[in-house]
Amino acid sequence: MNWGRIINMKILNINLKNLNSLRGEWHIDLLNSSYVSDEIFVITGPTGAGKTTIFDAICLALYSQTPRLGRITGANNEIMSKHAKDCYAEVIFEANGKKYKSLWKQQRDSKGKLQGIKHLISDLDSSIIISEAAKEIPGIVEDITGMDFKRFTQAVMLEQGKFDAFLKAKEGERSQILETLTGTEIYGTISTMVYDHTANERAILDKLQSEFDNKKPHDNFGSEEEISQALK
């Protein structure tokens, strides 16, 4: 039986090129002391500066889609910077003590026509490529992190103005997301098992009590005199 899985995911590096207004190559090393020492940091800037594009890059690298544009395909790529010949999004992340790299990229041919999406995910600890099949990788990321695209964007990468939507989500859905993130789903599993075990034992006890009640002797004697006569 699966007793639950504590999901401990951390983004370590974000690398991107030619995505929306962020032309050229950009690198964000979240292991840099500037981020690590303070633990909490804020990304600020005017509208259109590329703040949300950083989050889009993470989603692209992991799930080949973004909250704003949906799935990016070989025939439809509105996130590549205008007039750019190629773009990519790469994320290095850690999940449950293991490090992974997920890279998504696309380019145009000499005539400007979009080429197919290339997507790969590798295990950095062993330097083994897990998969280069674009259709498989979102599922592999879900297996590793415990979160599909919807859960990831709801709980980790809340879109602008969508925090209230998370708070207003159905109780069961919201609880499931929070349990996955915190690892507390194990307590829900244990609680269910204890309830089922208790119900089963109670049913056994009720059955034994019923059998005992049917078999215990009944007082069919009347007076003391009748009892004495029966004992002679």
Side-chain angles (χ1 to χ4, degrees):
M1 177 176 290
N2 182 3
W3 284 75
R5 181 167 53 128
I6 297 175
I7 303 302
N8 182 15
M9 181 187 182
K10 185 177 182 180
I11 303 295
L12 305 179
N13 279 272
I14 306 167
N15 303 304
L16 60 102
K17 179 183 181 182
N18 292 333
L19 298 180
N20 291 329
S21 62
L22 297 181
R23 294 180 177 276
E25 293 188 277
W26 299 76
H27 308 284
I28 303 174
D29 179 9
L30 296 177
L31 295 178
N32 185 285
S33 58
S34 300
Y35 298 106
V36 176
S37 60
D38 294 331
E39 294 185 354
I40 297 177
F41 57 89
V42 178
I43 299 174
T44 63
T47 300
K51 302 184 298 297
T52 305
T53 298
I54 296 174
F55 300 126
D56 287 342
I58 296 174
C59 292
L60 266 182
L62 296 175
Y63 300 101
S64 195
Q65 59 181 308
T66 76
R68 296 186 293 178
L69 298 176
R71 187 170 296 281
I72 307 299
T73 67
N76 177 32
N77 184 340
E78 296 181 16
I79 197 170
M80 185 187 296
S81 301
K82 289 184 179 180
H83 310 302
K85 295 181 179 180
D86 62 346
C87 65
Y88 72 77
E90 179 186 81
V91 165
I92 295 175
F93 67 97
E94 184 177 62
N96 296 318
K98 297 188 66 175
K99 293 180 181 178
Y100 303 88
K101 180 175 72 174
S102 189
L103 171 64
W104 177 98
K105 60 182 179 179
Q106 188 175 31
Q107 64 182 28
R108 299 181 185 275
D109 62 18
S110 58
K111 296 181 180 180
K113 184 178 179 182
L114 282 172
Q115 301 299 292
I117 298 294
K118 292 186 178 181
H119 205 177
L120 68 85
I121 185 168
S122 58
D123 183 330
L124 288 184
D125 295 326
S126 62
S127 299
I128 294 175
I129 294 177
I130 298 173
S131 177
E132 293 184 85
K135 292 183 178 180
E136 293 180 357
I137 292 176
I140 293 172
V141 171
E142 180 180 353
D143 290 339
I144 293 172
T145 66
M147 292 178 286
D148 58 12
F149 177 72
K150 182 179 179 181
R151 285 188 184 180
F152 186 79
T153 53
Q154 281 183 322
V156 181
M157 306 286 295
L158 286 175
E159 303 170 64
Q160 291 179 341
K162 293 295 182 67
F163 184 67
D164 61 330
F166 171 69
L167 295 177
K168 294 175 182 178
K170 293 181 180 179
E171 182 178 352
E173 183 179 10
R174 190 171 65 248
S175 297
Q176 189 175 28
I177 293 171
L178 293 175
E179 285 180 356
T180 300
L181 290 173
T182 60
T184 55
E185 73 269 26
I186 187 173
Y187 300 111
T189 302
I190 293 173
S191 176
T192 300
M193 292 180 64
V194 170
Y195 177 84
D196 292 342
H197 181 73
T198 301
N200 184 57
E201 294 299 317
R202 190 180 299 280
I204 294 174
L205 178 61
D206 290 343
K207 181 180 179 182
L208 292 174
Q209 185 65 52
S210 176
E211 293 176 352
F212 176 77
D213 290 340
N214 291 331
K215 292 181 179 180
K216 70 180 183 180
H218 297 281
D219 186 0
N220 295 320
F221 300 106
S223 65
E224 183 179 344
E225 182 178 351
E226 290 175 328
I227 295 174
S228 297
Q229 289 296 323
L231 293 174
K232 290 182 180 181

